[in-house]
Amino acid sequence: MFAQTQAAQIPAPAQIPAQFETDTCPAIDDITLLQATFFDNWPDGAKVKNSHRYKMTLEVWTDDAEDIRLSEWSFKRSVVLIEYWQMESRLTKLLARKSISQEYHDELMQVWKNALPPLNSPKLLWFGLIGDKGTMDGKKGTNYYDRQFIMVEMENGHPNFMILSVNGELLSLEAFATTDMKGNPFKAPVKYQGRLDLCEYRDAWGTT
């Protein structure tokens, strides 16, 4: 898995800016349960105007197993997935708009360069930058959190694995299922879901 190997080269942690402490994804060491839901918004592969094809919704819990309520997550965001070959131009635009810092841009560019797919490989890395849509009183548009992103290895429209990077620390989700935690198949546009149990929350809850 070339992407996992290259992910190990992500720079070491740096202190998260104070203004992001309450809004961003919890630290990797604090996560006890993770759910990643994969959306394909183009039925049968037909492009839908003004719609990104792939998105991943992240849900994170930090409570101990006995205190977890699935409806009361600690953090939830939907992230647009950017295809590998579009990533460089997207980062250039985000930097020009000042949506990301020069330091974050440079870090993501290094990760992107290190994740160059093997020649003729059906596996391709997609990126998702974590952020929010801002507030009425604050910065408008999408605010991207510094050093918080995901990488998803895709093969023929199927996510093989996902890596969550928070401030240089990594968490890997190794498998995605076509059914929810109760065994029910998903309805479009949801296609897959990955669940990671780090606290022995429930038998067979995770997909890895």
Side-chain angles (χ1 to χ4, degrees), residues 33-37 158-162 172-183 186 191-198 201-208:
L33 210 64
L34 170 67
Q35 181 166 276
T37 305
H158 179 276
N160 291 330
F161 66 83
M162 184 191 83
S172 181
L173 202 169
E174 300 290 344
F176 284 79
T178 57
T179 59
D180 64 18
M181 58 179 292
K182 296 181 180 179
F186 296 116
K191 293 197 71 174
Y192 305 101
Q193 191 174 79
R195 298 181 295 273
L196 184 62
D197 185 354
L198 300 173
Y201 167 67
R202 187 176 299 175
D203 290 344
W205 186 87
T207 54
T208 57

Coordinates of all heavy atoms in Angstrom, one line a residue, residues 33-37 158-162 172-183 186 191-198 201-208:
L33 N -13.8 6.2 19.1 CA -14.6 5.6 18.0 C -14.6 6.5 16.8 O -14.7 7.7 17.0 CB -16.1 5.4 18.6 CG -17.0 4.3 18.1 CD1 -16.4 2.9 18.5 CD2 -18.4 4.4 18.7
L34 N -14.5 5.9 15.6 CA -14.5 6.7 14.4 C -15.4 6.0 13.4 O -15.4 4.8 13.2 CB -13.1 6.7 13.8 CG -12.9 7.3 12.4 CD1 -13.2 8.8 12.4 CD2 -11.5 7.1 11.9
Q35 N -16.2 6.8 12.7 CA -17.1 6.3 11.6 C -16.9 7.2 10.4 O -16.9 8.4 10.5 CB -18.5 6.3 12.0 CG -19.5 5.8 11.0 CD -20.9 5.5 11.5 OE1 -21.1 4.4 12.1 NE2 -21.8 6.5 11.4
A36 N -16.6 6.6 9.2 CA -16.4 7.4 8.0 C -17.4 6.8 7.0 O -17.3 5.6 6.6 CB -15.0 7.2 7.5
T37 N -18.3 7.7 6.5 CA -19.3 7.3 5.5 C -19.0 7.9 4.2 O -18.9 9.1 4.0 CB -20.7 7.8 6.0 OG1 -20.9 7.3 7.4 CG2 -21.8 7.2 5.1
H158 N -14.1 2.3 -5.2 CA -14.3 1.6 -3.9 C -13.1 2.1 -3.0 O -12.0 2.1 -3.4 CB -14.2 0.1 -4.0 CG -14.3 -0.6 -2.7 ND1 -13.1 -0.8 -1.9 CD2 -15.3 -1.1 -2.0 CE1 -13.5 -1.4 -0.8 NE2 -14.8 -1.6 -0.8
P159 N -13.4 2.6 -1.8 CA -12.4 3.0 -0.8 C -11.7 1.8 -0.2 O -12.4 1.0 0.5 CB -13.1 3.9 0.2 CG -14.5 3.4 0.2 CD -14.8 2.9 -1.2
N160 N -10.4 1.7 -0.4 CA -9.7 0.5 0.2 C -9.4 0.8 1.7 O -9.5 -0.1 2.5 CB -8.4 0.3 -0.5 CG -8.7 -0.3 -1.9 OD1 -9.7 -1.0 -2.1 ND2 -7.8 0.0 -2.9
F161 N -8.9 2.0 2.0 CA -8.6 2.4 3.3 C -8.6 3.9 3.4 O -8.5 4.6 2.4 CB -7.3 1.8 3.8 CG -6.0 2.4 3.1 CD1 -5.5 3.6 3.5 CD2 -5.5 1.6 2.1 CE1 -4.3 4.0 2.8 CE2 -4.4 2.1 1.4 CZ -3.8 3.3 1.8
M162 N -8.6 4.5 4.6 CA -8.5 5.9 4.9 C -7.5 6.2 6.0 O -7.4 5.4 6.9 CB -9.9 6.4 5.3 CG -10.0 7.9 5.5 SD -11.5 8.5 6.3 CE -11.0 8.2 8.1
S172 N -5.4 5.1 11.0 CA -5.7 4.4 9.8 C -7.0 3.5 10.0 O -7.2 2.8 11.0 CB -4.6 3.4 9.4 OG -4.8 2.7 8.2
L173 N -7.9 3.6 9.0 CA -9.1 2.8 9.0 C -9.0 1.9 7.8 O -8.9 2.3 6.6 CB -10.3 3.8 8.8 CG -11.7 3.2 9.2 CD1 -12.7 4.4 9.2 CD2 -12.2 2.1 8.3
E174 N -8.9 0.6 8.0 CA -8.4 -0.3 7.0 C -9.4 -1.0 6.1 O -9.0 -1.7 5.2 CB -7.6 -1.5 7.8 CG -6.4 -0.9 8.5 CD -5.2 -0.4 7.7 OE1 -5.3 -0.8 6.5 OE2 -4.4 0.3 8.2
A175 N -10.7 -0.8 6.4 CA -11.7 -1.5 5.6 C -13.0 -0.8 5.6 O -13.4 -0.1 6.6 CB -11.9 -3.0 6.1
F176 N -13.8 -0.9 4.5 CA -15.1 -0.3 4.4 C -16.1 -1.4 4.0 O -15.8 -2.3 3.3 CB -15.1 0.8 3.3 CG -14.4 2.1 3.7 CD1 -13.1 2.2 3.7 CD2 -15.2 3.1 4.1 CE1 -12.4 3.4 4.1 CE2 -14.6 4.3 4.5 CZ -13.2 4.4 4.5
A177 N -17.3 -1.3 4.6 CA -18.4 -2.2 4.4 C -19.5 -1.6 3.6 O -19.6 -0.4 3.5 CB -18.9 -2.7 5.8
T178 N -20.3 -2.5 3.0 CA -21.5 -2.1 2.2 C -22.7 -2.1 3.1 O -23.8 -1.8 2.5 CB -21.7 -2.9 1.0 OG1 -21.8 -4.3 1.4 CG2 -20.5 -2.8 0.1
T179 N -22.6 -2.4 4.3 CA -23.8 -2.4 5.3 C -23.5 -1.5 6.5 O -22.3 -1.3 6.9 CB -24.1 -3.8 5.7 OG1 -23.0 -4.4 6.3 CG2 -24.5 -4.7 4.5
D180 N -24.5 -1.1 7.2 CA -24.4 -0.4 8.4 C -24.1 -1.3 9.6 O -23.9 -2.5 9.4 CB -25.6 0.5 8.7 CG -26.9 -0.2 8.9 OD1 -26.8 -1.5 9.2 OD2 -27.9 0.4 8.8
M181 N -24.0 -0.8 10.8 CA -23.6 -1.6 11.9 C -24.6 -2.7 12.2 O -24.3 -3.7 12.9 CB -23.4 -0.7 13.2 CG -24.6 0.1 13.6 SD -24.3 1.1 15.0 CE -24.2 -0.1 16.3
K182 N -25.9 -2.5 11.7 CA -26.9 -3.6 11.9 C -27.0 -4.5 10.8 O -27.9 -5.4 10.7 CB -28.3 -2.9 12.2 CG -28.3 -2.0 13.4 CD -29.7 -1.4 13.6 CE -29.7 -0.5 14.9 NZ -31.0 0.1 15.0
G183 N -26.1 -4.4 9.8 CA -26.2 -5.3 8.6 C -27.1 -4.8 7.5 O -27.3 -5.6 6.6
F186 N -26.8 0.0 2.4 CA -27.0 1.5 2.3 C -27.8 1.9 1.1 O -27.9 1.1 0.1 CB -25.6 2.2 2.2 CG -24.8 2.0 3.4 CD1 -23.6 1.3 3.4 CD2 -25.2 2.5 4.7 CE1 -22.8 1.2 4.5 CE2 -24.4 2.4 5.8 CZ -23.2 1.7 5.7
K191 N -22.6 4.7 -0.1 CA -22.2 3.5 -0.7 C -21.4 2.6 0.2 O -21.5 1.4 0.2 CB -21.3 3.7 -2.0 CG -22.1 4.3 -3.1 CD -21.4 4.2 -4.5 CE -21.5 2.8 -4.9 NZ -20.9 2.6 -6.3
Y192 N -20.5 3.2 1.1 CA -19.7 2.4 1.9 C -19.6 3.1 3.3 O -19.8 4.3 3.4 CB -18.3 2.2 1.4 CG -18.3 1.6 0.0 CD1 -18.1 2.4 -1.1 CD2 -18.4 0.2 -0.2 CE1 -18.1 1.9 -2.4 CE2 -18.4 -0.3 -1.5 CZ -18.2 0.5 -2.6 OH -18.2 0.0 -3.8
Q193 N -19.2 2.3 4.3 CA -18.9 2.9 5.6 C -17.8 2.1 6.3 O -17.8 0.9 6.3 CB -20.2 2.9 6.5 CG -20.1 3.7 7.8 CD -21.4 3.7 8.5 OE1 -21.7 2.7 9.2 NE2 -22.2 4.8 8.4
G194 N -16.9 2.9 6.9 CA -15.8 2.3 7.7 C -16.0 2.7 9.1 O -16.3 3.9 9.4
R195 N -15.8 1.7 10.0 CA -16.0 2.0 11.5 C -14.8 1.4 12.2 O -14.4 0.3 12.1 CB -17.3 1.3 11.9 CG -18.5 1.9 11.2 CD -19.8 1.3 11.7 NE -19.9 -0.1 11.4 CZ -20.4 -0.6 10.2 NH1 -20.8 0.2 9.3 NH2 -20.5 -1.9 10.0
L196 N -14.2 2.2 13.1 CA -13.1 1.9 13.8 C -13.4 1.9 15.3 O -13.8 3.0 15.8 CB -11.9 2.8 13.5 CG -10.5 2.5 14.2 CD1 -10.0 1.1 13.7 CD2 -9.5 3.5 13.8
D197 N -13.2 0.8 16.0 CA -13.5 0.7 17.5 C -12.2 0.6 18.2 O -11.5 -0.4 18.2 CB -14.4 -0.5 17.7 CG -14.8 -0.6 19.2 OD1 -14.4 0.2 20.0 OD2 -15.7 -1.5 19.5
L198 N -11.9 1.7 19.0 CA -10.7 1.7 19.8 C -10.9 1.6 21.3 O -10.0 1.8 22.1 CB -9.9 3.0 19.5 CG -9.5 3.3 18.0 CD1 -9.0 4.7 17.9 CD2 -8.5 2.2 17.6
Y201 N -16.2 -0.8 22.2 CA -17.6 -0.3 22.3 C -18.6 -1.4 22.2 O -19.5 -1.5 23.0 CB -17.8 0.8 21.3 CG -19.2 1.2 21.1 CD1 -19.9 1.9 22.1 CD2 -19.9 1.0 19.9 CE1 -21.2 2.2 22.0 CE2 -21.2 1.3 19.8 CZ -21.9 2.0 20.8 OH -23.2 2.3 20.6
R202 N -18.5 -2.2 21.1 CA -19.5 -3.2 20.8 C -18.9 -4.3 19.9 O -18.2 -3.9 19.0 CB -20.8 -2.5 20.2 CG -21.9 -3.5 20.0 CD -23.1 -2.7 19.4 NE -23.6 -1.7 20.3 CZ -24.6 -0.8 20.0 NH1 -25.2 -0.9 18.8 NH2 -24.9 0.1 20.8
D203 N -19.2 -5.5 20.2 CA -18.7 -6.6 19.4 C -19.1 -6.4 18.0 O -20.3 -6.2 17.7 CB -19.3 -8.0 19.9 CG -18.7 -8.3 21.3 OD1 -17.6 -7.7 21.6 OD2 -19.2 -9.2 22.0
A204 N -18.2 -6.6 17.1 CA -18.4 -6.6 15.6 C -18.9 -5.2 15.1 O -19.4 -5.1 14.0 CB -19.4 -7.6 15.2
W205 N -18.8 -4.1 15.9 CA -19.2 -2.8 15.5 C -18.2 -2.3 14.4 O -18.7 -1.7 13.4 CB -19.2 -1.8 16.6 CG -19.7 -0.5 16.2 CD1 -21.0 -0.1 16.2 CD2 -19.0 0.7 15.8 NE1 -21.1 1.2 15.7 CE2 -19.9 1.7 15.5 CE3 -17.6 0.9 15.6 CZ2 -19.5 3.0 15.0 CZ3 -17.2 2.2 15.1 CH2 -18.1 3.2 14.8
G206 N -16.9 -2.5 14.6 CA -16.0 -2.0 13.6 C -15.9 -2.8 12.3 O -16.4 -3.9 12.2
T207 N -15.3 -2.2 11.3 CA -15.1 -2.9 10.0 C -13.7 -3.3 9.8 O -13.3 -3.8 8.8 CB -15.5 -2.0 8.9 OG1 -14.8 -0.7 9.0 CG2 -17.0 -1.7 8.9
T208 N -12.8 -3.1 10.9 CA -11.5 -3.6 10.8 C -11.1 -4.4 12.0 O -11.8 -4.4 13.0 CB -10.5 -2.4 10.8 OG1 -10.7 -1.6 12.0 CG2 -10.7 -1.5 9.5

